[in-house]
Amino acid sequence: MMPFSGLFPLLIASASAADFVTSNGQIFTPGFAVLDAPQPNSPLGGDTIEVALDVSANGKLNLPPYDPDSASLIHNITIFLYSYDTGRNFTITNGTASENDATLGDIMLSEPGSTVKHVKWTWPDCLIGDGQPDGPDSDRGNYNISIRQSFRLNDEDHYTIFDVPISVTNRIEFVGNNPGCDAVDNPLLTPEEIDAETANSVGVLFAPGDATLIEQPTETGDAGSKSVEWRFALTGLLMVTTINLILF
């Protein structure tokens, strides 16, 4: 019988762009980041949009500051909110904070010592409202949270794109510092220009059962690197599933 650790990569590789690989409510990505929230297709609102990311692949990757010569590290994580329905492409964080946090700074430097980064971004003013879009000119409705990871894994650099569909349909009120939509908007590229399939050729990483090796400096700061092999055994309490998305 094939060892169980050999079965999961087949399952993960078979997941198309219209699938998620999940376990215990977490969503695994083509990179070190693991999405804790929000869940796909969630209706969102409130004062802020909140994205929770584990940036250590659940404790497998060291936190920054990194040794610049490390074989494995995260260069940066940027997040956008875009919609082909509205033509909007908002910057949540591109690594540089702007005035009044209209766009956020480097999330890897936030919450030092924590493997989970909680990104909280105030909704821009054109999304203020309640319920479904009230007309063809409304900017509310269906969006994707786009998580872009630039990272190095075992001396090979990658840039990946991971989209999570949500709907801006819950109540959003003016809170005093809502950025102007045009101030945080960017040109919207076509799917062909983005070419996420090619960008994500590395595949979904670090889900239970994945035996990917991570090479990085030891925790004691030794100059040499060590290879850590992460294998997970299946138990009756753990299941890896794929969830079909509702594509917008």
Side-chain angles (χ1 to χ4, degrees):
M1 178 180 295
M2 181 185 295
F4 198 83
S5 62
L7 297 178
F8 272 109
L10 298 177
L11 171 63
I12 293 169
S14 70
S16 71
D19 296 320
F20 284 135
V21 177
T22 70
S23 177
N24 293 333
Q26 291 187 307
I27 302 173
F28 294 83
T29 73
F32 287 112
V34 181
L35 180 66
D36 291 335
Q39 291 296 302
N41 304 310
S42 295
L44 300 183
D47 292 344
T48 60
I49 180 172
E50 300 185 12
V51 181
L53 289 174
D54 186 308
V55 298
S56 69
N58 282 336
K60 302 172 188 64
L61 178 70
N62 296 337
L63 290 172
Y66 300 114
D67 179 340
D69 295 324
S70 175
S72 300
L73 52 76
I74 295 175
H75 296 298
N76 60 71
I77 296 176
T78 57
I79 305 176
F80 299 87
L81 182 70
Y82 78 88
S83 170
Y84 286 116
D85 291 347
T86 67
R88 292 290 198 175
N89 180 22
F90 301 124
T91 299
I92 295 178
T93 171
N94 62 2
T96 303
S98 60
E99 187 176 358
N100 296 323
D101 283 336
T103 60
L104 304 179
D106 188 348
I107 70 168
M108 296 300 296
L109 302 181
S110 67
E111 301 174 270
S114 175
T115 60
V116 179
K117 308 302 181 183
H118 299 88
V119 179
K120 298 182 180 181
W121 181 64
T122 302
W123 295 103
D125 56 10
C126 62
L127 299 183
I128 292 172
D130 193 9
Q132 297 291 335
D134 56 10
D137 295 329
S138 174
D139 285 311
R140 291 171 61 85
N142 295 327
Y143 278 81
N144 286 281
I145 298 170
S146 189
I147 301 167
R148 315 290 179 91
Q149 299 178 67
S150 175
F151 63 96
R152 183 186 304 153
L153 175 61
N154 302 338
D155 283 323
E156 185 173 350
D157 287 319
H158 302 273
Y159 179 83
T160 64
I161 301 166
F162 185 75
D163 290 345
V164 182
I166 56 96
S167 62
V168 182
T169 50
N170 284 358
R171 186 176 185 83
I172 297 174
E173 297 182 342
F174 179 68
V175 295
N177 63 335
N178 303 77
C181 281
D182 291 343
V184 294
D185 199 14
N186 308 280
L188 184 59
L189 301 179
T190 67
E192 291 74 22
E193 290 172 317
I194 295 172
D195 194 10
E197 183 176 356
T198 299
N200 297 342
S201 59
V202 66
V204 174
L205 297 169
F206 307 115
D210 181 14
T212 299
L213 294 168
I214 300 177
E215 298 175 5
Q216 60 185 333
T218 63
E219 294 182 359
T220 59
D222 295 340
S225 295
K226 64 177 181 179
S227 295
V228 182
E229 185 170 1
W230 298 93
R231 295 183 183 272
F232 298 82
L234 182 73
T235 70
L237 299 177
L238 183 63
M239 180 179 297
V240 174
T241 62
T242 59
I243 300 177
N244 290 324
L245 298 184
I246 300 173
L247 296 179
F248 299 134

